[in-house]
Amino acid sequence: MHRQRDDAETGPTIRHGPVLRGRAGLIGGLAALSGILFGLDTGVMSGALDLITQEFVLSDFQRESMVGVMLLGAAMGVLGAAWLSHRCGRKRTLVLTAALFVVGPLLCAEATSYRSLMLARLLLGLATGATTFATPLYIAEIADSGRRGAMILGYQLMISCGLLAAFVSDGLFSYFGGWRWMLGVVGFPGLVFMMGVLFLPPSPRWLLAQGRERDARRVLIELRGLPRLVMAERNAIMARLAARRDGIGSFMKDPNCRRAMWLAVGLQVAQQFSGINAVLYYAPYIIGLAGYGHYVQVWGPVGIGIINLLSTCIATTCVDRIGRRPMLIGGFAVMALAMGAQAAMVAGGMPPMPGMRLLMGVFMLVFVAAFAFAAGPLTWLLCAEILPLRGREFGMACSTCANWVANMLVSATFLTGLEILGADRVLWGYAGLNAVFMVMVLLRVPETRGMTLEQIEVELMRGTPLRALGTRAHSRV
């Protein structure tokens, strides 16, 4: 970790020993288990959708609505979690979210009609959206700067584990037509998570913001151990709290807050308009476009889940070594090339030769791997880092809500787009968007590796250009 020479201005760079990091890592890992629920909830619909369509005789619009209603609920859940985490704290928000992850899947499994299933999916969407807001925020506020990247990416790793588990369970239950089990299985890890999250400590930053200094010091001692480290971090947090204004007021009055929020929103929109969830939600359909039969359509998503998990593991080990910017630039570049290659093959009329079908599958896996290495985890990490403490809940709510709205737009129009425009034009469109997002990263995204949240905020409020945030921290030892 690099240390700035003007610590008086940017706040102290706090060093932590491996044992103390381990304590915070254990707590962050438990919070990140909510990612498994997120991944399960996202992935199960891939295999269940065709079976639900057969039972309830759904049109293409109703199929898209079945996917989109959960995403609508997620956008609503983000807004609710933003208010709740500000008023009641991050921990209590996670507890409520865990309870919804128990109730929602059970209602899905017991649904007797298309309408009742839509309502159950809406409720499950509330839980999913709430956890995508509360978990990265909580982890960022308990982690030290040297491990913050790996800990938040641990959340993304759990999402990848959940996706893989969803694809495997879909494959197994498909032999019995058991879509109710596919959707209901999410309730079991939800119950485990609800019991575990009860033992999490509150966020020390939230406690200090509420004036509960004694409780905050107790939590910081649990996380950091050494009194001098606790006092240094406490002083840095209090310095920023002294200058904070409430939520939306900060963003209305302060252009520095607004530019951080717009960058966070842009990153979240870029993540979704890369086309990843069109691949995840409709994986069997896309595999069918490549000419594969039923067996590959059922088990092909498992390969996608494995690649997604392995790439996320690699990203977790690289993020605090390579940095955020290089990984994002390379990821979007590879995604643009992989999607463009798929578009070219579809436009040329996919020949039935096995070699060409295999090549199409390879490009799909390369696309997923690039996303899981870069845009997938790093978007959540950067949003948790660059948004200032003053009004962070509001900024996180806006950016996370933008993620789910963009997700809904992509997922609820993909099948319609294929029918109206053709598969090749849709894929070319996503390839072009990924190229645009690569340029956006080059021009706007900062490198925040090794910086504390307080250092990032001080530079932001000083008016440092977004692209230049952290430049001095990485140029001096």
Side-chain angles (χ1 to χ4, degrees), residues 84-436:
L84 191 64
S85 68
H86 177 71
R87 297 286 298 181
C88 302
R90 285 68 159 128
K91 175 184 174 178
R92 291 176 181 172
T93 303
L94 289 173
V95 172
L96 177 60
T97 298
L100 292 177
F101 270 121
V102 175
V103 176
L106 295 179
L107 293 178
C108 287
E110 294 295 327
T112 57
S113 66
Y114 168 72
R115 181 174 297 179
S116 62
L117 183 56
M118 288 279 285
L119 290 175
R121 291 287 291 170
L122 180 66
L123 180 62
L124 197 52
L126 291 173
T128 305
T131 193
T132 59
F133 171 85
T135 301
L137 183 64
Y138 176 82
I139 294 174
E141 293 185 350
I142 67 167
D144 62 82
S145 59
R147 289 280 295 277
R148 186 175 61 243
M151 286 177 66
I152 294 181
L153 263 65
Y155 171 63
Q156 185 69 29
L157 181 62
M158 293 298 176
I159 295 176
S160 300
C161 291
L163 279 171
L164 179 57
F167 292 147
V168 171
S169 68
D170 283 354
L172 294 173
F173 289 126
S174 67
Y175 291 104
F176 312 102
W179 66 265
R180 296 181 186 277
W181 278 101
M182 294 178 185
L183 301 183
V185 73
V186 181
F188 294 103
L191 182 61
V192 174
F193 174 64
M194 184 174 67
M195 292 187 297
V197 78
L198 293 172
F199 297 97
L200 293 177
S203 160
R205 283 179 173 82
W206 182 80
L207 290 172
L208 286 172
Q210 304 302 310
R212 296 168 56 182
E213 182 162 340
R214 178 177 298 180
D215 292 334
R217 287 187 179 183
R218 177 180 54 80
V219 173
L220 284 171
I221 289 172
E222 290 182 19
L223 298 175
R224 313 296 184 233
L226 297 178
R228 63 180 181 83
L229 297 180
V230 169
M231 288 305 299
E233 186 163 348
R234 177 263 179 202
N235 292 338
I237 295 171
M238 291 301 296
R240 302 317 309 155
L241 287 173
R244 71 177 290 181
R245 291 187 290 269
D246 289 333
I248 192 171
S250 298
F251 290 89
M252 293 295 292
K253 300 175 183 178
D254 196 328
N256 290 318
C257 288
R258 290 199 300 272
R259 64 196 181 107
M261 184 189 72
W262 285 120
L263 177 59
V265 169
L267 286 169
Q268 295 283 16
V269 171
Q271 185 198 65
Q272 292 304 315
F273 275 92
S274 68
I276 184 60
N277 279 319
V279 173
L280 295 180
Y281 292 139
Y282 303 107
Y285 185 89
I286 297 175
I287 292 172
L289 286 178
Y292 287 102
H294 175 73
Y295 181 82
V296 179
Q297 291 180 43
V298 169
W299 288 104
V302 175
I304 292 176
I306 292 173
I307 293 297
N308 185 65
L309 176 59
L310 293 176
S311 295
T312 306
C313 289
I314 296 172
T316 303
T317 63
C318 293
V319 64
D320 287 319
R321 299 178 183 178
I322 298 176
R324 285 68 161 152
R325 272 176 53 82
M327 291 173 65
L328 270 179
I329 293 169
F332 278 123
V334 173
M335 290 164 70
L337 293 174
M339 191 64 82
Q342 293 178 75
M345 296 181 72
V346 171
M350 279 293 299
M353 294 180 295
M356 295 299 291
R357 292 202 302 269
L358 178 62
L359 187 59
M360 181 78 171
V362 168
F363 282 129
M364 180 186 295
L365 293 177
V366 168
F367 174 83
V368 172
F371 176 86
F373 180 75
L378 296 184
T379 293
W380 298 107
L381 172 59
L382 281 165
C383 288
E385 291 180 328
I386 64 176
L387 288 168
L389 183 63
R390 55 182 74 179
R392 176 172 293 157
E393 292 94 342
F394 177 77
M396 284 288 289
C398 289
S399 61
T400 309
C401 187
N403 178 286
W404 286 109
V405 170
N407 190 340
M408 181 175 64
L409 291 175
V410 171
S411 304
T413 59
F414 182 68
L415 295 178
T416 302
L418 293 179
E419 182 179 347
I420 296 175
L421 300 175
D424 58 329
R425 293 181 180 178
V426 172
L427 297 179
W428 277 123
Y430 285 129
L433 285 172
N434 281 297
V436 170

